[in-house]
Amino acid sequence: MKVLKFGGTSVGSVESLKNVKNIVESQDDQVIVVVSALGGVTDLLLDMTHKAEARDDSYEPMVEQLLNRHNSVIEGVVPANQQAQCKAIMQQFIVQGLTQFFSMLYANQNLDADYKAQVEDAIVAHGETLSSAIVTCMLGAVPHFSPNFIKTKDVDGERLLDNATFDLIAQEFKGRKEKVHVTQGFISEDSSNGAKTNLGRGGSDFTAALIAAALDASSLEIWTDVDGFYTADPRKDPTATIIPRMTYQQALDMCQAGAKVIYAPTLSPVAIKHIPVWVKNTFNPQAPGTLIE
C-alpha cells in the first residue's frame, strides 16, 4: 500500500487534476490519496474571514466566486453522472456552511477569542473538504474524513498531535480492500472537545506521513510542482540539478535551510519506520524525482 499526497497546485486546475487521475490509476498497489485545498483557496478563505470580521461586505461576492470555481473544476473532471451530486456538496458546504460562519463573524464583534479561533479553523477546513469531495468523485474512490483519525490536543497553549492518532488511523484503514481511498490533509480535530483544528501550513504533507507511518506503507509519494530536490534554487541558478537520492537527514537539513519542497516535520514519522519518500512532479510524472530513504 502506498500513500500519495497531492498539493494545492496539483489539484488546482482541471488540467492538473487530470494528471492526478492518471497517476492514481496507473498504480498497481492499493493507494491512499491525501489532498490539499485547490491552489489559492486557503488564502482566499482566510481573506474572506478577515473581511467578515472587519464587517467588510466584499466577502459576500467571493462566496459565489468560490462556488463557481469548484463547480467549474467538477465539470472538467467528474463523470457526468456524478456532477450533480458533487455540485450539491459544494452548495451545502460553501453557500450554506460558509455563509453561516461568515455571518456569525460579521454580526458578532465581541466573540470569545477561543471560540473565534475555532470558527476560523472550521472555515479554513472547508478548502480540503471541498477538494477531497471532487477528487473522490473523480476517482470513484472511498472517502474518509481526516478529523475522525487525525487528533490534536492543547498542551499549555500549544497545539500538538495526540498520540491516539496512530491507533485511529489503523482502525480507519486496516482491513479495507478497496484500491483507492481519499482523505484530506491539514485538517484535524481536538481530541477533548471535537472542535475542528488544523496542522498548519505544510500540514497535508504531515498528514500523509502520519498515515504512511501508522499503516507501514511501502512508500510515501509527495506530488508537487517541481521535479524533486535540486542542488540549488533552479530559479536563481541555471546550473542546478536534481538530487536523485538523499537520506532523511540530508532532506531535513535542506528543508531547514529554506528548501520548500516538503514540510520538514513530514520526515520524522516515516524515518522512524524506514519508509521511503518520493518527491515527484504532478506536471512531469515521467521525471525520476528524488528518493529520500
Side-chain angles (χ1 to χ4, degrees):
M1 184 269 292
K2 294 181 180 179
V3 178
L4 278 58
K5 181 266 175 176
F6 294 93
T9 54
S10 297
V11 296
S13 67
V14 169
E15 291 71 27
S16 61
L17 277 164
K18 288 179 178 178
N19 288 347
V20 170
K21 187 174 189 290
N22 291 334
I23 290 165
V24 173
E25 291 182 345
S26 71
Q27 303 296 320
D28 294 326
D29 297 335
Q30 183 185 45
V31 294
I32 298 173
V33 177
V34 178
V35 296
S36 299
L38 270 60
V41 165
T42 298
D43 288 337
L44 180 62
L45 289 169
L46 287 170
D47 186 27
M48 295 164 75
T49 300
H50 297 153
K51 282 179 165 57
E53 291 171 343
R55 306 196 76 178
D56 179 347
D57 293 332
S58 64
Y59 82 85
E60 293 180 336
M62 297 168 72
V63 174
E64 185 174 358
Q65 294 169 16
L66 188 68
L67 178 65
N68 290 340
R69 178 181 176 188
H70 284 82
N71 282 342
S72 176
V73 170
I74 289 170
E75 291 169 2
V77 301
V78 173
N81 63 350
Q82 296 184 46
Q83 288 185 14
Q85 178 184 1
C86 199
K87 286 184 176 181
I89 295 172
M90 302 301 112
Q91 181 80 17
Q92 176 186 350
F93 279 97
I94 295 176
V95 177
Q96 299 173 26
L98 280 176
T99 299
Q100 287 183 341
F101 284 125
F102 292 138
S103 296
M104 180 191 305
L105 292 175
Y106 188 95
N108 297 280
Q109 299 296 296
N110 297 309
L111 287 176
D112 173 79
D114 289 340
Y115 182 69
K116 184 177 178 181
Q118 289 181 21
V119 172
E120 292 171 348
D121 282 344
I123 289 171
V124 175
H126 280 66
E128 278 70 19
T129 302
L130 297 168
S131 65
S132 65
I134 293 174
V135 173
T136 297
C137 292
M138 177 182 75
L139 298 174
V142 179
H144 299 265
F145 190 46
S146 63
N148 289 341
F149 48 87
I150 305 294
K151 303 292 183 179
T152 62
K153 59 184 178 181
D154 187 286
V155 179
D156 298 328
E158 184 177 2
R159 179 64 52 187
L160 301 176
L161 184 73
D162 191 316
N163 287 333
T165 291
F166 294 97
D167 288 338
L168 291 170
I169 292 171
Q171 293 171 23
E172 181 78 16
F173 291 101
K174 280 191 173 177
R176 301 297 298 258
K177 303 299 183 183
E178 302 91 348
K179 184 177 179 182
V180 182
H181 300 256
V182 173
T183 193
Q184 307 80 23
F186 179 69
I187 59 176
S188 50
E189 184 177 273
D190 189 294
S191 56
S192 64
N193 60 20
K196 295 297 175 288
T197 57
N198 64 67
L199 301 178
R201 295 286 186 175
S204 291
D205 286 359
F206 191 42
T207 299
L210 293 172
I211 294 172
L215 300 177
D216 293 312
S218 60
S219 64
L220 167 63
E221 297 181 2
I222 304 291
W223 288 87
T224 181
D225 56 0
V226 294
D227 285 347
F229 277 88
Y230 282 81
T231 53
D233 187 339
R235 295 168 298 183
K236 300 177 181 178
D237 185 349
T239 66
T241 57
I242 287 289
I243 302 172
R245 188 179 296 246
M246 311 172 71
T247 66
Y248 299 112
Q249 187 61 53
Q250 288 171 332
L252 178 61
D253 289 344
M254 289 195 70
C255 289
Q256 292 177 336
K260 297 180 180 180
V261 180
I262 60 175
Y263 180 52
T266 299
L267 295 167
S268 179
V270 289
I272 292 171
K273 291 291 192 77
H274 303 286
I275 295 170
V277 180
W278 284 96
V279 178
K280 304 198 76 174
N281 191 344
T282 306
F283 303 88
N284 185 21
Q286 302 308 316
T290 296
L291 173 61
I292 306 167
E293 61 179 355

